Amino acid sequence: MSDLFARRLLVVTGKGGVGKSTVAAALATVAGSRGRRVLICELSARERMPALFGTRPSGAEVGLITPRISSVHVRPNEAMREYALMVLKFRAIYSAVFENRMVRYFLRAVPSLSEIVMLGKVCWHALQDDRFDLVVLDAPATGHALSLLSTPSTILELVNEGPLARDMRAMQALLEDARRSAVSLVALPEEMPVNEAVDLAAQLRKVVRMARGPDFLNAFFPSRFSEAAISSLKKDQDPNLEIAARAARAYEDRAALSAFYLEKMRTELGRPPICVPHLFSESFGALQVAQLAEVLDREIPA
Ligand SMILES: Nc1ncnc2c1ncn2[C@@H]1O[C@H](COP(=O)(O)OP(=O)(O)OP(=O)(O)O)[C@@H](O)[C@H]1O
Ligand SMILES: [Mg+2]
């Protein structure tokens, strides 16, 4: 795979709750440490980056996390306003158009309008915003991500001319250009998340035609204790060691599941994912993101 971080746009998606935001934050950290100026675009309802980096919420304005990493929380209403202002140029026209009751009613009836403006904003940062080299998109979960990423082709089936079609063509060209963008899938070592990632990979191939970045198997349990080591603990009559032996056995059961789903992803996606270790910690913040970034830095070729 050519240099992942030399691209303009990196999309991270997968089933809900699998660690998309966490992996996006760790990827941004690695890209930042390799000299890229990175913007993380969050599209979920709740902003995650402040907690993950231990910073203040950036909200709808771009906020600095570190000198090389910024983030922005893309929300439909603000994105719509910005997009309209960009196209319509003048605030007065914006008010006349968007604050008109009939127009508002019509806009609500257009199904993918919020997706158009949200993806539009992300692509604008990737294509035209000189402050950044790379946009990492912490995308919505599977089905939503698919409909978001197929917005340009859906709209282009309906509209062929005018500023909207022009923007959609530029967005589609960006998504379909393997040198400029890629999409990475995240899964957990569990049945549903892995199945969803495999289905999504097939859908992406068919519908969106984006290049694929590395996939991630998050919260992975690497094997740590040999059978012999566990048995030797059990042989001892010390009850504390007996508890330790049981804990080690339970850990190894999780590790066996991790190995099983690693193999499943490898065979069904045609290449091995990058394993992101499960971290045992009560809270998840800057320290944990930095730990995962170290792992990714070793796994992702420069
Ligand atoms: N490698 C890991 N080790 C331990 N816990 C993790 C790991 N990765 C993520 N988590 C925890 O799993 C939870 C979900 O992570 P995260 O918010 O990144 O998922 P998500 O896919 O972005 O979720 P959503 O679909 O809600 O946006 C969080 O509480 C996070 O701290
Ligand atoms: Mg998230």
Side-chain angles (χ1 to χ4, degrees):
M1 196 170 304
S2 60
D3 186 358
L4 186 65
F5 302 123
R7 291 174 165 89
R8 303 285 303 170
L9 175 67
L10 219 52
V11 180
V12 180
T13 182
K15 191 178 186 313
V18 294
K20 298 180 293 297
S21 301
T22 307
V23 168
L27 280 171
T29 304
V30 179
S33 75
R34 295 187 190 176
R36 307 263 162 227
R37 296 166 305 157
V38 190
L39 176 68
I40 305 172
C41 289
E42 284 199 78
L43 257 61
S44 51
R46 204 168 47 95
E47 208 184 334
R48 267 298 273 155
M49 295 306 146
L52 283 171
F53 285 101
T55 48
R56 282 190 303 141
S58 66
E61 301 291 323
V62 170
L64 206 64
I65 292 176
T66 72
R68 290 252 176 75
I69 306 172
S70 300
S71 80
V72 65
H73 189 207
V74 182
R75 304 167 197 173
N77 285 347
E78 277 109 341
M80 175 99 72
R81 193 160 186 285
E82 278 177 39
Y83 181 73
L85 285 174
M86 237 185 278
V87 175
L88 301 173
K89 299 285 189 292
F90 300 106
R91 229 160 266 263
I93 303 179
Y94 171 84
S95 309
V97 175
F98 280 82
E99 279 151 27
N100 174 305
R101 248 184 37 190
M102 280 307 290
V103 174
R104 279 222 304 272
Y105 174 80
F106 168 75
L107 290 179
R108 267 204 297 276
V110 177
S112 31
L113 195 71
S114 67
E115 287 173 336
I116 296 172
V117 291
M118 300 229 284
L119 186 66
K121 180 170 165 64
V122 172
C123 290
W124 179 82
H125 285 298
L127 287 166
Q128 306 202 16
D129 193 340
D130 293 339
R131 293 171 295 176
F132 306 107
D133 304 307
L134 170 70
V135 169
V136 174
L137 171 58
D138 178 10
T142 319
H144 262 122
L146 200 60
S147 94
L148 178 80
L149 297 172
S150 50
T151 304
S153 57
T154 310
I155 300 297
L156 284 169
E157 280 170 24
L158 304 169
V159 189
N160 245 309
E161 284 168 47
L164 183 64
R166 187 200 60 216
D167 286 358
M168 292 300 127
R169 263 187 221 106
M171 281 152 70
Q172 196 177 25
L174 169 68
L175 296 178
E176 290 183 356
D177 182 352
R179 286 162 308 157
R180 288 189 294 165
S181 42
V183 54
S184 284
L185 308 183
V186 184
L188 290 173
E190 295 168 16
E191 191 69 17
M192 291 297 289
V194 169
N195 287 347
E196 234 179 88
V198 171
D199 288 348
L200 181 57
Q203 293 285 338
L204 282 169
R205 235 188 336 268
K206 252 198 296 191
V207 184
V208 187
R209 299 196 298 266
M210 271 185 88
R212 294 268 306 289
D215 302 314
F216 298 93
L217 186 53
N218 186 31
F220 186 84
F221 282 64
S223 174
R224 281 169 199 263
F225 310 106
S226 69
E227 199 49 52
I230 297 175
S231 305
S232 72
L233 287 176
K234 276 189 191 150
K235 268 195 222 104
D236 213 298
Q237 294 307 308
D238 183 341
N240 285 328
L241 288 181
E242 181 63 33
I243 293 168
R246 254 187 276 140
R249 159 68 43 228
Y251 179 93
E252 281 307 310
D253 288 346
R254 294 287 302 263
L257 274 179
S258 282
F260 174 81
Y261 287 109
L262 169 60
E263 192 46 36
K264 183 165 171 154
M265 274 182 95
R266 189 207 307 274
T267 48
E268 303 210 6
L269 291 172
R271 55 187 192 164
I274 292 176
C275 296
V276 183
H278 178 93
L279 297 183
F280 292 93
S281 75
E282 275 176 19
S283 61
F284 213 96
L287 193 67
Q288 286 71 26
V289 170
Q291 263 176 282
L292 296 184
E294 252 177 62
V295 174
L296 298 191
D297 193 32
R298 283 197 296 273
E299 298 288 330
I300 298 172

